[in-house]
Amino acid sequence: MRKNRRTSRKMSVMAGRSAQIGAVMIMLFAVSILNILAASSCRRLTKTISEKENQLAKLEDECRREGVRWAEMQTPRRIEAALLRHGRMMKYPKEIQIVRMDAGGRPYPGQASVARAAERNKALVAQAETTRPGSVVRASQQAVQPRGRAPRRARR
Amino acid sequence: MTMLRMRGENWRFWVPVAALVAFSVYTCQKLVRAHVDPEVDANDCSFTKELPGCRGSIYDAKGRELVKSVPVWKYSLDPVVLTNRVVKPKGGARRTREEIVGTIARELGLDYAKVLAMTRKRNRYQFLSISSDRDAHATLCDSRLVAGLIIEDRQVRQYLLGRGLSHVLGSVNAESVGSAGIELRYNSQLTGVPGTIRGVKDALGHEIYDRRIEQIAPLPGADVYLTIDQNIQFDAEAALDWGVKEFGAGSGWCVVMDAATGAVLAMASLPNFDPLQYGRTPDAAKLNRVTNFTYEPGSVMKVITAAAGLDTGLVRPETRYATNRDDERYYRLPGDGTHVWEPTMTVKDAIVHSSNIVMGKLGCDLGPERLWTYMSAFGFGQRTLIELPGEESGILPHWRKWDKVKWSRAPIGQGVAITAIQLCSAYQAIANDGLRMKPHIVGRVVAHDGRDLYRASPAPVGRPVSAATARQLREMMLGVASKEGTARRAAIRGYSVAGKTGTAQKVVDGRYSDSLFRATFCGIVPASRPRLVVLATLDFDSRQKYHQGGNSAGPVFKRIATSALRYLMVAPDRPDELLEADDDDEYDRAVEERRQKIGNNAP
């Protein structure tokens, strides 16, 4: 009898311990599952980051390449060759095409362009004086008239 | 044991539990440590990768790119993969070797037969091409179409002006180390700091990204801003090229310098080279003749002699000298040829007509000590310290070592050797009212974070002559580019030109040659308000009709100066001349010639 009592007591103790161990094991299992999930998520995230980093590097490289391509197209040799190939010429302005003036818009004295303009004006005035009055005005009025057929008068 | 005995048979349960806990604690701490300090389990799978720092760029004075590093793809072929006639690329259908080679050749623009011949070679690394074509890269990266292709990321230097400005910019070698020009001189600043990646690879050799130990980003190199203006440079090179071809010269060089600051606006030397082919370039083309080549200047040195005479008060512009050579006071004077015929001549006329006898006499009167002192003060015989490698100092022996012949020869530019940049710097002093500035070609060096590592500022290096003397000299030199002078073809309509011609005999077998010359014209424009100093030299390797400084170098000077004045919109100091005829312009002629040339070459 004594022996049986001891055995049953032992069994009850073991049962209590098994429940505790089971709980610990379940907890460990849950933690490990969580750990695996977190680790895989982390790995996925770092992979995405690295992919984005590579993409950024590629885009930066592309940007540099495009920048150089544009800069190359803007070199004087390329611009001039492109223009001349199409029969166009682009030159720096001649001195008589430049009028230097102060902040008030008054041209500096002694400029070739101003002198040339004054000469032209003088010639124009002289021409106007020799011809009949109003001819210069008429000429300028003709110049501003639009091209093409004149608009028809509305019928009454 | 006592405890276990006391507690009875419970030890049978507690011992495995304790062992389990101990094992768990050990594993956990290892895991935690591995996460906190990844170096703990860094084993053979760890790797270190160096990230190259991008080399800095070079810009012109207005911030336009001249040189830049660009990422490209280097394509090579592994013929072993294409040994079989039919190859199955990864994930794609079977393709014949010829089809694959055809795709590669087409995308890279290579000869099909050459690429096919490469597949029969044994070497597993056959270089194909370097390309930055994105579309070609996309096709060649497609593993279903192509096999046996090795693609590497590389950085190459892109020289946007091609052969232009090659002597200034220089070149880099295959390791991206500067080997000439600014690339060499500023190599340490241009070179970036490489970065590092340390990490762990898996069994397949792929990096495990979350186990990356260290990542240090690379730092790009500093950028160099030159004082060169690429538009002035382009016109100067075009004019020099025209001059060399037009007058049959073997080589030529030119410099455009700001008269007030000593900043170099353009520098060209012909023959030039392709910076991408520097290794295969002959040495003659590699030579920057502006800074690294010394030569006897000839008559352009007469201005320095006149400057010494005027500044010491020994002569005045109207002081007269006899043009005969039988005066016993002077030892072995040089001849004057047929272009000087007056029995007496003023110092001013001696400059205008380039009289050797008068200048020789003036040099003898000055004496070697004074002449040498003035030549040294103008910077001859010493480096200008311009920021280019390999600059020569020229040859100006101390006056104590001069023999009597040199007393009359040095004043006319014989027996001394100079560099073009020294001559330009000396004329800059005359243009700047006697104040010589340090010639410089680098404006600033800017670090990748925008800090200025170096910023050039105009630095005076001496005043060889007074302002009054400099003005007198400019006045005397005005006559050179006139109808009476030796360089009437150098005159520019609307602008006063103060300059001097030089026709130096070249030395062949230890004797002065009668057929080979070096023609120079150095001028200051506009002479009344100096803005530019322009030097042009043509070096003749064979007998040519127009070999004089005024006839050959003069027109080159005119072409360079006209376009530079137009580009900089310098106001003319003789506007009345423009009113006489405005259609006669050297710049217009130059552009028209270029247009015709391109028109003729057009298909």
Side-chain angles (χ1 to χ4, degrees):
Chain A
M1 280 300 284
R2 194 181 167 197
K3 194 177 177 182
N4 288 341
R5 238 189 355 255
R6 262 176 70 187
T7 309
S8 65
R9 210 174 108 199
K10 192 174 154 186
M11 288 296 285
S12 68
V13 169
M14 285 286 280
R17 294 265 188 266
S18 302
Q20 283 175 1
I21 290 164
V24 167
M25 293 296 276
I26 288 165
M27 213 164 73
L28 275 173
F29 179 73
V31 167
S32 61
I33 292 291
L34 278 173
N35 184 41
I36 288 165
L37 285 173
S40 76
S41 160
C42 225
R43 201 157 291 173
R44 204 165 49 240
L45 209 60
T46 51
K47 202 170 180 182
T48 312
I49 290 167
S50 72
E51 275 170 9
K52 294 287 176 200
E53 273 179 359
N54 285 342
Q55 203 178 349
L56 180 70
K58 273 183 185 170
L59 286 173
E60 277 175 352
D61 286 358
E62 199 54 47
C63 189
R64 285 180 77 83
R65 264 193 292 273
E66 284 299 309
V68 168
R69 207 165 65 85
W70 275 99
E72 203 170 14
M73 279 201 270
Q74 288 167 18
T75 54
R77 190 179 300 275
R78 291 284 292 269
I79 290 174
E80 193 173 75
L83 284 170
L84 294 181
R85 213 175 294 128
H86 294 97
R88 306 242 180 273
M89 281 170 78
M90 200 160 73
K91 294 191 285 192
Y92 307 130
K94 281 184 178 183
E95 193 49 42
I96 59 157
Q97 294 169 330
I98 302 169
V99 179
R100 293 180 179 79
M101 50 184 77
D102 61 12
R106 287 177 295 276
Y108 292 123
Q111 294 187 70
S113 53
V114 177
R116 175 59 60 90
E119 256 178 37
R120 271 191 197 146
N121 284 344
K122 221 183 279 176
L124 271 174
V125 169
Q127 195 187 347
E129 280 171 359
T130 51
T131 53
R132 59 197 172 91
S135 60
V136 176
V137 179
R138 266 210 301 280
S140 63
Q141 277 173 346
Q142 278 172 0
V144 294
Q145 271 183 359
R147 287 183 177 183
R149 288 169 65 183
R152 285 183 183 177
R153 281 186 182 178
R155 285 183 186 174
R156 285 185 184 175
Chain B
M1 285 301 289
T2 320
M3 282 293 286
L4 289 172
R5 267 197 206 120
M6 280 169 66
R7 295 220 173 210
E9 60 275 14
N10 281 357
W11 66 274
R12 286 184 188 145
F13 167 74
W14 284 110
V15 165
V17 168
L20 192 69
V21 167
F23 178 73
S24 307
V25 166
Y26 171 75
T27 314
C28 279
Q29 67 84 27
K30 201 181 169 189
L31 274 171
V32 167
R33 272 189 70 193
H35 271 90
V36 172
D37 184 6
E39 283 188 57
V40 171
D41 63 349
N43 46 27
D44 292 340
C45 295
S46 67
F47 75 98
T48 305
K49 184 180 163 190
E50 194 172 88
L51 304 170
C54 187
R55 197 172 168 84
S57 305
I58 303 176
Y59 297 88
D60 82 342
K62 292 192 174 160
R64 290 170 291 216
E65 283 170 350
L66 300 173
V67 186
K68 194 161 188 151
S69 284
V70 284
V72 292
W73 296 286
K74 183 183 175 186
Y75 298 97
S76 310
L77 194 70
D78 182 2
V80 174
V81 180
L82 301 173
T83 308
N84 299 329
R85 289 195 68 82
V86 179
V87 182
K88 188 176 183 300
K90 282 178 191 171
R94 287 176 187 279
R95 299 189 81 199
T96 62
R97 183 171 59 197
E98 284 72 19
E99 282 174 342
I100 292 171
V101 168
T103 308
I104 292 170
R106 190 177 59 249
E107 293 299 328
L108 294 177
L110 298 171
D111 184 26
Y112 170 77
K114 274 187 184 175
V115 181
L116 195 63
M118 280 181 184
T119 58
R120 294 183 196 111
K121 290 185 179 171
R122 286 186 178 180
N123 189 347
R124 293 197 67 175
Y125 192 84
Q126 302 283 335
F127 171 73
L128 284 171
S129 166
I130 285 178
S131 163
S132 61
D133 188 345
R134 191 176 42 180
D135 298 333
H137 179 71
T139 310
L140 295 172
C141 277
D142 192 345
S143 58
R144 291 168 301 175
L145 295 173
V146 177
L149 197 65
I150 304 162
I151 305 174
E152 295 167 82
D153 289 335
R154 291 285 295 272
Q155 294 236 335
V156 294
R157 291 297 260 180
Q158 196 89 15
Y159 295 87
L160 304 181
L161 301 184
R163 299 174 79 95
L165 201 61
S166 53
H167 291 100
V168 173
L169 299 173
S171 175
V172 292
N173 61 16
E175 315 300 322
S176 278
V177 178
S179 50
I182 292 290
E183 294 272 27
L184 172 62
R185 177 71 173 72
Y186 284 88
N187 185 53
S188 55
Q189 286 91 340
L190 285 165
T191 309
V193 180
T196 320
I197 287 181
R198 282 204 299 140
V200 180
K201 283 181 180 173
D202 63 12
L204 294 171
H206 301 134
E207 188 192 352
I208 306 168
Y209 292 106
D210 63 336
R211 303 282 292 278
R212 189 172 278 186
I213 299 162
E214 189 179 42
Q215 181 172 2
I216 301 168
L219 293 178
D223 296 329
V224 177
Y225 288 78
L226 304 180
T227 56
I228 297 281
D229 188 300
Q230 72 170 17
N231 290 321
I232 300 176
Q233 177 71 26
F234 173 66
D235 285 327
E237 281 175 357
L240 186 66
D241 188 49
W242 167 81
V244 166
K245 284 176 184 155
E246 179 80 10
F247 301 107
S251 56
W253 50 95
C254 68
V255 187
V256 181
M257 191 182 270
D258 188 303
T261 62
V264 176
L265 303 177
M267 181 188 283
S269 175
L270 283 176
N272 54 14
F273 60 88
D274 180 359
L276 299 176
Q277 304 287 331
Y278 187 71
R280 293 177 213 162
T281 306
D283 288 344
K286 284 180 185 173
L287 182 67
N288 183 356
R289 289 169 166 78
V290 176
T291 56
N292 303 2
F293 178 61
T294 55
Y295 59 99
E296 283 193 350
S299 297
V300 278
M301 283 297 271
K302 287 174 184 165
V303 173
I304 309 302
T305 310
L310 292 172
D311 204 54
T312 51
L314 185 72
V315 290
R316 291 189 304 168
E318 58 274 13
T319 304
R320 284 195 168 268
Y321 274 93
T323 53
N324 60 350
R325 287 204 293 169
D326 49 7
D327 197 329
E328 288 176 3
R329 287 177 299 165
Y330 305 109
Y331 181 80
R332 286 180 66 180
L333 284 166
D336 253 348
T338 53
H339 65 287
V340 175
W341 56 89
E342 295 170 32
T344 62
M345 191 176 267
T346 62
V347 175
K348 183 184 175 184
D349 286 344
I351 291 285
V352 172
H353 300 296
S354 196
S355 168
N356 293 338
I357 295 171
V358 173
M359 281 299 149
K361 286 181 176 179
L362 175 57
C364 290
D365 287 350
L366 276 166
E369 187 179 355
R370 278 196 285 193
L371 193 58
W372 179 86
T373 307
Y374 272 94
M375 283 183 176
S376 298
F378 272 107
F380 297 109
Q382 55 209 298
R383 292 189 181 94
T384 61
L385 302 181
I386 194 167
E387 302 92 341
L388 287 172
E391 190 196 354
E392 291 284 339
S393 58
I395 303 164
L396 181 65
H398 193 266
W399 65 272
R400 285 183 199 279
K401 293 178 184 170
W402 287 17
D403 55 14
K404 270 206 155 181
V405 176
K406 197 170 268 186
W407 284 29
S408 60
R409 290 298 196 272
I412 63 163
Q414 287 184 342
V416 291
I418 60 150
T419 62
I421 194 73
Q422 283 175 350
L423 187 62
C424 206
S425 176
Y427 274 64
Q428 179 273 324
I430 296 166
N432 197 27
D433 284 346
L435 188 64
R436 194 163 77 85
M437 311 297 285
K438 180 183 172 290
H440 60 280
I441 202 164
V442 173
R444 60 195 179 117
V445 181
V446 183
H448 69 94
D449 54 0
R451 274 181 305 115
D452 269 0
L453 298 178
Y454 167 76
R455 184 179 275 272
S457 53
V461 286
R463 186 182 277 282
V465 288
S466 67
T469 306
R471 279 196 288 273
Q472 265 183 335
L473 275 169
R474 291 207 300 270
E475 196 71 32
M476 288 162 67
M477 289 156 71
L478 277 176
V480 175
S482 67
K483 281 179 184 169
E484 298 80 39
T486 51
R488 61 180 173 188
R489 291 181 70 184
I492 301 171
R493 195 179 289 277
Y495 296 89
S496 55
V497 176
K500 182 71 193 83
T501 53
T503 310
Q505 289 170 285
K506 288 170 78 170
V507 177
V508 179
D509 299 330
R511 298 177 69 86
Y512 282 115
S513 168
D514 291 331
S515 56
L516 304 182
F517 298 91
R518 214 167 266 129
T520 303
F521 187 86
C522 192
I524 300 161
V525 278
S528 57
R529 295 186 300 274
R531 180 76 191 272
L532 298 173
V533 178
V534 181
L535 177 140
T537 302
L538 297 179
D539 193 337
F540 295 95
D541 293 335
S542 58
R543 184 188 285 271
Q544 298 292 335
K545 187 182 175 189
Y546 296 110
H547 62 264
Q548 297 93 348
N551 283 340
S552 55
V556 176
F557 158 85
K558 182 180 178 176
R559 204 164 260 216
I560 296 169
T562 312
S563 56
L565 289 167
R566 268 231 208 168
Y567 172 69
L568 296 170
M569 287 211 272
V570 178
D573 56 346
R574 291 175 175 172
D576 298 343
E577 289 180 3
L578 292 173
L579 291 172
E580 291 165 17
D582 62 319
D583 54 339
D584 176 29
D585 194 291
E586 190 68 22
Y587 172 72
D588 290 341
R589 263 197 294 275
V591 176
E592 182 59 33
E593 273 174 24
R594 289 209 288 264
R595 191 184 71 81
Q596 283 175 1
K597 201 171 154 187
I598 289 175
N600 293 340
N601 292 341

